[in-house]
Amino acid sequence: KAGVTQTPRYLIKTRGQQVTLSCSPISGHRSVSWYQQTPGQGLQFLFEYFSETQRNKGNFPGRFSGRQFSNSRSEMNVSTLELGDSALYLCASSLWAGASGANVLTFGAGSRLTVL
Amino acid sequence: AQSVTQLDSHVSVSEGTPVLLRCNYSSSYSPSLFWYVQHPNKGLQLLLKYTSAATLVKGINGFEAEFKKSETSFHLTKPSAHMSDAAEYFCVVSFSGSGNTGKLIFGQGTTLQVKP
């Protein structure tokens, strides 16, 4: 059974550019969540999608956006990149919406974004 | 407000000795509690979860955690450390309750160093 697949694994961008990251969930999982990991702020929730609808959003500026397709694959986009956006972006999938003991999140390996 | 605190940012043990990673949480709601591990340049792997079925939870690779409601703690232990246990460990909470949609809240992480 394939795990959560994130592409690309590494990428380098310059300030002002935009970036799109992709996440393919485990087959049958309908919820996809995104988290940002930085040395200073740790792991922070970005947003969650379930059945193509954004269910929950973290405290990030509008430059951060996402979407989910009918096959449950998800993309997140960051526009007008800033140096502080350099981070590991982790995607997680689960069967249903809302992380809980009965609905555990499985994480991908992440996409490491460097902004120069 | 819901939060989770890992009491040690860095723990160093010798191979074959016990491991204790400490975690406290605060919540007005019933929590689901997790420990995840992250090896360098990898995603997050679930070690174990607490879902109110039993206060002592067994996970993978010989790890255990005990939920103590009176102390709002969920400490992670292992009787005998192995070199392969060296990694970053995250105590994670999700809450179910009014106004909460089940996102994960991460502790700041504890780096476990295992010395030969």
Side-chain angles (χ1 to χ4, degrees), chain B residues 28-74:
Chain B
S28 302
Y29 306 105
S30 299
S32 293
L33 293 153
F34 313 83
W35 278 96
Y36 279 85
V37 62
Q38 186 176 37
H39 291 275
N41 298 314
K42 296 288 180 63
L44 295 161
Q45 181 185 20
L46 179 68
L47 279 177
L48 49 80
K49 64 179 182 179
Y50 166 75
T51 59
S52 77
T55 57
L56 183 61
V57 181
K58 293 185 183 298
I60 62 172
N61 301 334
F63 284 95
E64 293 184 348
E66 185 172 9
F67 173 71
K68 293 186 176 181
K69 186 175 182 178
S70 60
E71 299 176 10
T72 60
S73 68
F74 189 57

Short mmCIF file of all heavy atoms in Angstrom, two decimals, chain B residues 28-74:
data_model
loop_
_atom_site.label_atom_id
_atom_site.label_comp_id
_atom_site.label_asym_id
_atom_site.label_seq_id
_atom_site.Cartn_x
_atom_site.Cartn_y
_atom_site.Cartn_z
N SER B 28 -9.44 22.06 27.73
CA SER B 28 -10.75 22.03 28.36
C SER B 28 -11.60 20.88 27.83
O SER B 28 -12.69 20.65 28.31
CB SER B 28 -11.48 23.36 28.10
OG SER B 28 -10.72 24.44 28.58
N TYR B 29 -11.05 20.19 26.84
CA TYR B 29 -11.79 19.13 26.18
C TYR B 29 -11.06 17.80 26.33
O TYR B 29 -9.94 17.75 26.80
CB TYR B 29 -11.96 19.45 24.69
CG TYR B 29 -12.56 20.81 24.42
CD1 TYR B 29 -11.76 21.86 23.97
CD2 TYR B 29 -13.91 21.04 24.62
CE1 TYR B 29 -12.31 23.10 23.73
CE2 TYR B 29 -14.46 22.27 24.37
CZ TYR B 29 -13.66 23.30 23.93
OH TYR B 29 -14.20 24.53 23.68
N SER B 30 -11.73 16.75 25.93
CA SER B 30 -11.09 15.42 25.97
C SER B 30 -10.07 15.32 24.86
O SER B 30 -10.42 15.43 23.69
CB SER B 30 -12.15 14.33 25.80
OG SER B 30 -13.10 14.39 26.84
N PRO B 31 -8.83 15.07 25.20
CA PRO B 31 -7.80 15.05 24.16
C PRO B 31 -7.56 13.67 23.56
O PRO B 31 -7.77 12.66 24.22
CB PRO B 31 -6.56 15.51 24.92
CG PRO B 31 -6.75 14.92 26.28
CD PRO B 31 -8.24 14.95 26.54
N SER B 32 -7.13 13.66 22.32
CA SER B 32 -6.46 12.50 21.76
C SER B 32 -4.98 12.86 21.75
O SER B 32 -4.62 13.97 21.37
CB SER B 32 -6.94 12.20 20.34
OG SER B 32 -8.28 11.79 20.33
N LEU B 33 -4.16 11.93 22.18
CA LEU B 33 -2.74 12.22 22.34
C LEU B 33 -1.92 11.26 21.49
O LEU B 33 -2.25 10.08 21.38
CB LEU B 33 -2.34 12.08 23.80
CG LEU B 33 -2.95 13.13 24.73
CD1 LEU B 33 -3.06 12.58 26.14
CD2 LEU B 33 -2.14 14.40 24.71
N PHE B 34 -0.85 11.78 20.94
CA PHE B 34 0.01 11.00 20.06
C PHE B 34 1.47 11.32 20.35
O PHE B 34 1.81 12.40 20.83
CB PHE B 34 -0.25 11.34 18.58
CG PHE B 34 -1.70 11.39 18.17
CD1 PHE B 34 -2.46 12.53 18.39
CD2 PHE B 34 -2.28 10.31 17.55
CE1 PHE B 34 -3.79 12.59 18.01
CE2 PHE B 34 -3.61 10.36 17.15
CZ PHE B 34 -4.37 11.49 17.39
N TRP B 35 2.33 10.39 20.01
CA TRP B 35 3.75 10.64 19.87
C TRP B 35 4.14 10.26 18.44
O TRP B 35 3.83 9.17 17.97
CB TRP B 35 4.58 9.81 20.86
CG TRP B 35 4.67 10.42 22.23
CD1 TRP B 35 3.91 10.12 23.31
CD2 TRP B 35 5.62 11.41 22.66
NE1 TRP B 35 4.30 10.87 24.39
CE2 TRP B 35 5.34 11.67 24.03
CE3 TRP B 35 6.66 12.10 22.05
CZ2 TRP B 35 6.08 12.59 24.78
CZ3 TRP B 35 7.39 13.01 22.79
CH2 TRP B 35 7.10 13.24 24.15
N TYR B 36 4.80 11.22 17.79
CA TYR B 36 5.35 10.99 16.47
C TYR B 36 6.87 11.11 16.55
O TYR B 36 7.41 11.86 17.37
CB TYR B 36 4.84 12.03 15.47
CG TYR B 36 3.46 11.78 14.90
CD1 TYR B 36 2.32 12.20 15.59
CD2 TYR B 36 3.29 11.15 13.67
CE1 TYR B 36 1.05 11.99 15.05
CE2 TYR B 36 2.02 10.95 13.13
CZ TYR B 36 0.92 11.37 13.82
OH TYR B 36 -0.34 11.16 13.29
N VAL B 37 7.56 10.42 15.65
CA VAL B 37 9.02 10.49 15.57
C VAL B 37 9.41 10.95 14.17
O VAL B 37 8.73 10.61 13.18
CB VAL B 37 9.68 9.13 15.91
CG1 VAL B 37 9.25 8.04 14.92
CG2 VAL B 37 11.20 9.25 15.93
N GLN B 38 10.46 11.74 14.11
CA GLN B 38 10.95 12.23 12.82
C GLN B 38 12.46 11.99 12.75
O GLN B 38 13.23 12.59 13.50
CB GLN B 38 10.65 13.72 12.65
CG GLN B 38 11.00 14.26 11.29
CD GLN B 38 10.59 15.72 11.14
OE1 GLN B 38 10.68 16.50 12.09
NE2 GLN B 38 10.13 16.10 9.95
N HIS B 39 12.86 11.15 11.84
CA HIS B 39 14.28 10.94 11.58
C HIS B 39 14.76 11.99 10.59
O HIS B 39 13.94 12.55 9.83
CB HIS B 39 14.52 9.52 11.06
CG HIS B 39 14.28 8.47 12.12
ND1 HIS B 39 15.24 8.11 13.02
CD2 HIS B 39 13.18 7.74 12.42
CE1 HIS B 39 14.76 7.17 13.84
NE2 HIS B 39 13.51 6.94 13.49
N PRO B 40 16.04 12.28 10.56
CA PRO B 40 16.56 13.35 9.69
C PRO B 40 16.10 13.21 8.25
O PRO B 40 16.16 12.12 7.68
CB PRO B 40 18.08 13.19 9.82
CG PRO B 40 18.27 12.61 11.18
CD PRO B 40 17.10 11.68 11.39
N ASN B 41 15.61 14.32 7.73
CA ASN B 41 15.15 14.40 6.34
C ASN B 41 14.03 13.41 6.02
O ASN B 41 13.89 12.99 4.87
CB ASN B 41 16.33 14.17 5.38
CG ASN B 41 17.39 15.23 5.54
OD1 ASN B 41 17.10 16.42 5.61
ND2 ASN B 41 18.63 14.81 5.64
N LYS B 42 13.27 13.08 7.03
CA LYS B 42 12.13 12.18 6.81
C LYS B 42 10.85 12.85 7.32
O LYS B 42 10.88 13.86 8.03
CB LYS B 42 12.35 10.87 7.58
CG LYS B 42 13.55 10.06 7.09
CD LYS B 42 13.30 9.43 5.76
CE LYS B 42 14.48 8.61 5.26
NZ LYS B 42 14.78 7.47 6.14
N GLY B 43 9.73 12.23 6.97
CA GLY B 43 8.45 12.73 7.50
C GLY B 43 8.21 12.23 8.91
O GLY B 43 9.11 11.71 9.57
N LEU B 44 7.01 12.40 9.37
CA LEU B 44 6.64 12.01 10.74
C LEU B 44 6.03 10.62 10.74
O LEU B 44 5.17 10.30 9.93
CB LEU B 44 5.63 13.00 11.29
CG LEU B 44 6.14 14.42 11.48
CD1 LEU B 44 4.98 15.40 11.57
CD2 LEU B 44 6.98 14.50 12.74
N GLN B 45 6.48 9.81 11.69
CA GLN B 45 5.97 8.46 11.83
C GLN B 45 5.27 8.32 13.18
O GLN B 45 5.81 8.72 14.21
CB GLN B 45 7.10 7.43 11.74
CG GLN B 45 6.63 5.99 11.86
CD GLN B 45 7.78 5.00 11.88
OE1 GLN B 45 8.93 5.35 12.15
NE2 GLN B 45 7.48 3.75 11.59
N LEU B 46 4.07 7.76 13.17
CA LEU B 46 3.32 7.58 14.41
C LEU B 46 3.95 6.48 15.25
O LEU B 46 4.15 5.37 14.78
CB LEU B 46 1.87 7.21 14.08
CG LEU B 46 0.97 6.98 15.29
CD1 LEU B 46 0.72 8.28 16.05
CD2 LEU B 46 -0.37 6.37 14.86
N LEU B 47 4.26 6.83 16.52
CA LEU B 47 4.77 5.84 17.47
C LEU B 47 3.63 5.17 18.23
O LEU B 47 3.62 3.95 18.40
CB LEU B 47 5.70 6.51 18.49
CG LEU B 47 7.14 6.78 18.11
CD1 LEU B 47 7.82 7.50 19.26
CD2 LEU B 47 7.87 5.50 17.77
N LEU B 48 2.72 6.00 18.73
CA LEU B 48 1.60 5.48 19.50
C LEU B 48 0.54 6.56 19.65
O LEU B 48 0.80 7.73 19.39
CB LEU B 48 2.05 4.97 20.88
CG LEU B 48 2.94 5.88 21.73
CD1 LEU B 48 2.13 6.93 22.44
CD2 LEU B 48 3.73 5.07 22.75
N LYS B 49 -0.65 6.11 20.12
CA LYS B 49 -1.74 7.05 20.32
C LYS B 49 -2.55 6.68 21.56
O LYS B 49 -2.64 5.50 21.91
CB LYS B 49 -2.66 7.09 19.11
CG LYS B 49 -3.38 5.76 18.85
CD LYS B 49 -4.31 5.84 17.65
CE LYS B 49 -5.06 4.51 17.46
NZ LYS B 49 -5.99 4.55 16.32
N TYR B 50 -3.13 7.67 22.20
CA TYR B 50 -4.02 7.46 23.33
C TYR B 50 -5.42 7.91 22.92
O TYR B 50 -5.61 9.02 22.41
CB TYR B 50 -3.58 8.27 24.55
CG TYR B 50 -4.66 8.34 25.61
CD1 TYR B 50 -4.94 7.24 26.41
CD2 TYR B 50 -5.41 9.50 25.77
CE1 TYR B 50 -5.95 7.30 27.36
CE2 TYR B 50 -6.41 9.57 26.72
CZ TYR B 50 -6.68 8.47 27.50
OH TYR B 50 -7.69 8.52 28.44
N THR B 51 -6.39 7.02 23.18
CA THR B 51 -7.76 7.36 22.80
C THR B 51 -8.75 7.05 23.90
O THR B 51 -9.92 6.86 23.64
CB THR B 51 -8.17 6.59 21.54
OG1 THR B 51 -8.05 5.17 21.81
CG2 THR B 51 -7.29 6.94 20.37
N SER B 52 -8.31 6.99 25.14
CA SER B 52 -9.14 6.78 26.34
C SER B 52 -9.49 5.32 26.59
O SER B 52 -10.19 5.02 27.54
CB SER B 52 -10.41 7.62 26.31
OG SER B 52 -11.37 7.06 25.45
N ALA B 53 -9.02 4.41 25.76
CA ALA B 53 -9.31 3.00 25.99
C ALA B 53 -8.47 2.45 27.15
O ALA B 53 -8.96 1.65 27.95
CB ALA B 53 -9.04 2.19 24.74
N ALA B 54 -7.23 2.88 27.26
CA ALA B 54 -6.35 2.41 28.32
C ALA B 54 -5.33 3.49 28.60
O ALA B 54 -4.87 4.17 27.67
CB ALA B 54 -5.64 1.12 27.91
N THR B 55 -4.96 3.67 29.85
CA THR B 55 -4.04 4.76 30.18
C THR B 55 -2.60 4.45 29.82
O THR B 55 -1.82 5.36 29.57
CB THR B 55 -4.12 5.09 31.68
OG1 THR B 55 -3.82 3.91 32.42
CG2 THR B 55 -5.50 5.60 32.04
N LEU B 56 -2.24 3.18 29.76
CA LEU B 56 -0.90 2.79 29.33
C LEU B 56 -0.98 2.31 27.89
O LEU B 56 -1.67 1.34 27.58
CB LEU B 56 -0.34 1.69 30.23
CG LEU B 56 1.10 1.25 29.93
CD1 LEU B 56 2.07 2.42 30.10
CD2 LEU B 56 1.51 0.08 30.82
N VAL B 57 -0.27 2.99 27.04
CA VAL B 57 -0.35 2.72 25.61
C VAL B 57 0.98 2.16 25.12
O VAL B 57 2.03 2.72 25.42
CB VAL B 57 -0.67 4.01 24.83
CG1 VAL B 57 -0.79 3.71 23.35
CG2 VAL B 57 -1.95 4.65 25.36
N LYS B 58 0.92 1.09 24.38
CA LYS B 58 2.14 0.51 23.80
C LYS B 58 2.21 0.89 22.33
O LYS B 58 1.20 0.89 21.61
CB LYS B 58 2.12 -1.00 23.95
CG LYS B 58 2.22 -1.48 25.40
CD LYS B 58 2.31 -2.97 25.50
CE LYS B 58 2.33 -3.43 26.95
NZ LYS B 58 3.51 -2.90 27.69
N GLY B 59 3.43 1.23 21.89
CA GLY B 59 3.61 1.62 20.51
C GLY B 59 4.62 0.74 19.81
O GLY B 59 4.94 -0.35 20.27
N ILE B 60 5.14 1.26 18.72
CA ILE B 60 6.12 0.50 17.96
C ILE B 60 7.51 0.64 18.54
O ILE B 60 7.77 1.57 19.32
CB ILE B 60 6.12 0.95 16.48
CG1 ILE B 60 6.53 2.42 16.37
CG2 ILE B 60 4.77 0.71 15.84
CD1 ILE B 60 6.75 2.89 14.94
N ASN B 61 8.38 -0.28 18.20
CA ASN B 61 9.79 -0.22 18.58
C ASN B 61 10.01 -0.18 20.09
O ASN B 61 11.01 0.37 20.55
CB ASN B 61 10.49 0.99 17.93
CG ASN B 61 10.42 0.93 16.42
OD1 ASN B 61 10.30 -0.15 15.84
ND2 ASN B 61 10.47 2.08 15.78
N GLY B 62 9.10 -0.75 20.87
CA GLY B 62 9.29 -0.86 22.30
C GLY B 62 8.93 0.37 23.12
O GLY B 62 9.14 0.40 24.32
N PHE B 63 8.38 1.38 22.49
CA PHE B 63 7.98 2.60 23.20
C PHE B 63 6.62 2.44 23.87
O PHE B 63 5.75 1.73 23.37
CB PHE B 63 7.94 3.80 22.24
CG PHE B 63 9.29 4.32 21.87
CD1 PHE B 63 9.93 3.90 20.71
CD2 PHE B 63 9.93 5.25 22.69
CE1 PHE B 63 11.18 4.38 20.38
CE2 PHE B 63 11.17 5.75 22.36
CZ PHE B 63 11.80 5.32 21.21
N GLU B 64 6.47 3.11 25.01
CA GLU B 64 5.21 3.15 25.74
C GLU B 64 4.95 4.58 26.20
O GLU B 64 5.89 5.38 26.33
CB GLU B 64 5.26 2.26 26.99
CG GLU B 64 5.35 0.78 26.72
CD GLU B 64 5.30 -0.01 28.01
OE1 GLU B 64 5.43 0.60 29.10
OE2 GLU B 64 5.15 -1.24 27.94
N ALA B 65 3.69 4.88 26.50
CA ALA B 65 3.35 6.17 27.08
C ALA B 65 2.19 5.96 28.04
O ALA B 65 1.32 5.12 27.82
CB ALA B 65 2.97 7.18 26.01
N GLU B 66 2.21 6.74 29.13
CA GLU B 66 1.15 6.64 30.12
C GLU B 66 0.40 7.96 30.22
O GLU B 66 1.01 9.02 30.43
CB GLU B 66 1.71 6.27 31.49
CG GLU B 66 0.61 6.03 32.53
CD GLU B 66 1.13 5.48 33.83
OE1 GLU B 66 2.37 5.43 34.02
OE2 GLU B 66 0.30 5.11 34.69
N PHE B 67 -0.91 7.88 30.07
CA PHE B 67 -1.76 9.06 30.19
C PHE B 67 -2.15 9.24 31.65
O PHE B 67 -2.71 8.33 32.26
CB PHE B 67 -3.02 8.89 29.34
CG PHE B 67 -4.04 9.98 29.52
CD1 PHE B 67 -3.81 11.25 29.05
CD2 PHE B 67 -5.24 9.72 30.17
CE1 PHE B 67 -4.75 12.26 29.21
CE2 PHE B 67 -6.19 10.70 30.34
CZ PHE B 67 -5.94 11.98 29.86
N LYS B 68 -1.84 10.40 32.21
CA LYS B 68 -2.22 10.71 33.59
C LYS B 68 -3.05 11.98 33.57
O LYS B 68 -2.51 13.09 33.47
CB LYS B 68 -0.97 10.88 34.47
CG LYS B 68 -0.19 9.60 34.67
CD LYS B 68 0.95 9.79 35.66
CE LYS B 68 1.68 8.47 35.93
NZ LYS B 68 2.78 8.64 36.90
N LYS B 69 -4.36 11.79 33.71
CA LYS B 69 -5.26 12.93 33.60
C LYS B 69 -5.04 13.93 34.73
O LYS B 69 -5.06 15.15 34.50
CB LYS B 69 -6.71 12.44 33.62
CG LYS B 69 -7.73 13.54 33.37
CD LYS B 69 -9.12 12.96 33.28
CE LYS B 69 -10.14 14.07 32.99
NZ LYS B 69 -11.52 13.52 32.85
N SER B 70 -4.78 13.45 35.95
CA SER B 70 -4.61 14.34 37.09
C SER B 70 -3.39 15.23 36.93
O SER B 70 -3.34 16.34 37.46
CB SER B 70 -4.50 13.53 38.38
OG SER B 70 -3.37 12.66 38.31
N GLU B 71 -2.40 14.74 36.19
CA GLU B 71 -1.17 15.51 35.96
C GLU B 71 -1.14 16.12 34.56
O GLU B 71 -0.17 16.79 34.23
CB GLU B 71 0.04 14.60 36.15
CG GLU B 71 0.17 13.99 37.54
CD GLU B 71 1.32 13.03 37.66
OE1 GLU B 71 2.15 12.95 36.73
OE2 GLU B 71 1.39 12.32 38.69
N THR B 72 -2.16 15.89 33.79
CA THR B 72 -2.22 16.31 32.36
C THR B 72 -0.90 16.02 31.67
O THR B 72 -0.31 16.88 31.02
CB THR B 72 -2.60 17.80 32.21
OG1 THR B 72 -1.62 18.61 32.87
CG2 THR B 72 -3.96 18.08 32.79
N SER B 73 -0.44 14.78 31.83
CA SER B 73 0.83 14.38 31.23
C SER B 73 0.68 13.15 30.34
O SER B 73 -0.27 12.37 30.49
CB SER B 73 1.86 14.08 32.32
OG SER B 73 1.51 12.91 33.04
N PHE B 74 1.62 13.01 29.44
CA PHE B 74 1.63 11.87 28.52
C PHE B 74 3.10 11.60 28.18
O PHE B 74 3.55 11.83 27.06
CB PHE B 74 0.79 12.18 27.27
CG PHE B 74 0.55 11.00 26.36
CD1 PHE B 74 -0.05 9.85 26.84
CD2 PHE B 74 0.90 11.05 25.01
CE1 PHE B 74 -0.30 8.77 26.00
CE2 PHE B 74 0.65 9.97 24.16
CZ PHE B 74 0.06 8.83 24.66
#
